[in-house]
Amino acid sequence: MSDDHTHVQEFFTARADDWDSKFPEDGPVFAAAVADLGLRPGDRVLDAGCGTGRALPPLRAAVGPSGAVIGVDLTPAMLRAAVRAGRDRHGRLLLADVAALPLRSGAFDAVFGAGLIAHLPHPSENLRELARVVRPGGILALFHPIGRAALAARQGRRITPDDLRAEGNLRPLLAGAGWRMTSYVDEDARFLALAVREG
C-alpha cells in the first residue's frame, strides 16, 4: 500500500464514526445530484469512494430493484459505518481502490463520486480507471455537497490556482482520461461536474 493510500485511510478512519453526524443536512443535496445523473430503472451505477454510503439510497431509488448499485471505498471503517447506517440494503459494498477496480470493463452506466477528486493520488490515471468500467456514453458525476469557495472557507483556507475542481483544470483533466465535461456547477450549495464517457 502506498503512502497516498495510507494517508487517505488514516484521514477517513479517524472520522468514520461521526462522519454522518457532522453533515446531517446533506441528504437532499445528494438526492438532487443523483437526480441530475438521469439514471433509469435497470441501470448499473458505481459509487466511487462511497464513504458511509450517503448516495446509496437515492442511487437505488433511481435504478430500482432491477438495477445494480455498488459502493466502493478504500477505508474499512467507512464501509462499516455504511453498514451500521443500514445503507448496505441499497447496494453492494466493496473494499477496493479506485486506482485498480476489481470490476469488468464497461460494466456500468454511470459513476457517482462524492468528494472524490481531492483524494485521488493520481487523478488522471484514476479517472481513466473510472472510464474503463463505464460503457461509452455513460455518465460521471463529480459531486461535493458544498462549493469550492464555501469548502475553502469552512477549512480556513483560500482556493489556489491548482485546485483540481476549478473548471479550467478539471475539463482538460477529464478529457485526457476519456471523459467530456457536459455540465459544471460551482455554487455555495453544491459542486457538480458531469461528464460523458467518450468512445
Side-chain angles (χ1 to χ4, degrees), residues 48-72:
C50 67
T52 62
R54 291 181 294 169
L56 297 180
L59 289 171
R60 171 55 66 195
V63 303
S66 63
V69 178
I70 296 182
V72 169

Side-chain angles (χ1 to χ4, degrees), residues 6-61:
T6 302
H7 173 74
V8 169
Q9 283 186 324
E10 288 174 351
F11 178 89
F12 285 107
T13 296
R15 292 161 176 80
D17 286 342
D18 61 351
W19 187 264
D20 287 350
S21 64
K22 284 187 173 182
F23 310 105
E25 308 300 322
D26 284 352
V29 73
F30 268 80
V34 168
D36 285 341
L37 269 172
L39 294 168
R40 296 174 302 224
D43 277 353
R44 297 176 55 84
V45 60
L46 174 67
D47 185 358
C50 67
T52 62
R54 291 181 294 169
L56 297 180
L59 289 171
R60 171 55 66 195

Side-chain angles (χ1 to χ4, degrees), residues 16 30 35 51 65 88 111 146 150 152 157 165 173 181:
F30 268 80
D88 56 324
V111 175
I146 62 174
R157 61 176 178 82
R165 294 191 305 155
L173 178 65
M181 188 188 292

Side-chain angles (χ1 to χ4, degrees), residues 26 29 143-154 159 165 184-192:
D26 284 352
V29 73
F143 166 73
H144 201 282
I146 62 174
R148 294 187 313 126
L151 181 62
R154 177 192 285 176
I159 297 174
R165 294 191 305 155
Y184 182 89
V185 175
D186 182 16
E187 54 198 23
D188 282 351
R190 72 172 180 166
F191 173 91
L192 181 65

Side-chain angles (χ1 to χ4, degrees), residues 65-192:
S66 63
V69 178
I70 296 182
V72 169
D73 203 273
L74 182 65
T75 306
M78 293 298 263
L79 294 177
R80 287 193 296 270
V83 171
R84 282 194 305 274
R87 296 185 184 123
D88 56 324
R89 296 189 311 262
H90 302 282
R92 181 176 165 217
L93 297 175
L94 185 62
L95 179 65
D97 181 1
V98 298
L101 292 164
L103 303 165
R104 74 178 195 278
S105 297
F108 294 92
D109 299 291
V111 175
F112 186 83
L116 178 68
I117 190 83
H119 298 286
L120 295 177
H122 307 288
S124 182
E125 295 168 28
N126 302 150
L127 289 167
R128 196 171 298 117
E129 175 66 355
L130 292 178
R132 181 188 67 78
V133 301
V134 174
R135 64 167 174 79
I139 304 296
L140 168 68
L142 295 175
F143 166 73
H144 201 282
I146 62 174
R148 294 187 313 126
L151 181 62
R154 177 192 285 176
Q155 295 173 341
R157 61 176 178 82
R158 293 186 175 200
I159 297 174
T160 60
D162 62 347
D163 182 352
L164 288 180
R165 294 191 305 155
E167 185 174 9
N169 296 331
L170 186 57
R171 187 179 296 276
L173 178 65
L174 287 167
W179 300 98
R180 177 175 50 84
M181 188 188 292
T182 57
S183 175
Y184 182 89
V185 175
D186 182 16
E187 54 198 23
D188 282 351
R190 72 172 180 166
F191 173 91
L192 181 65

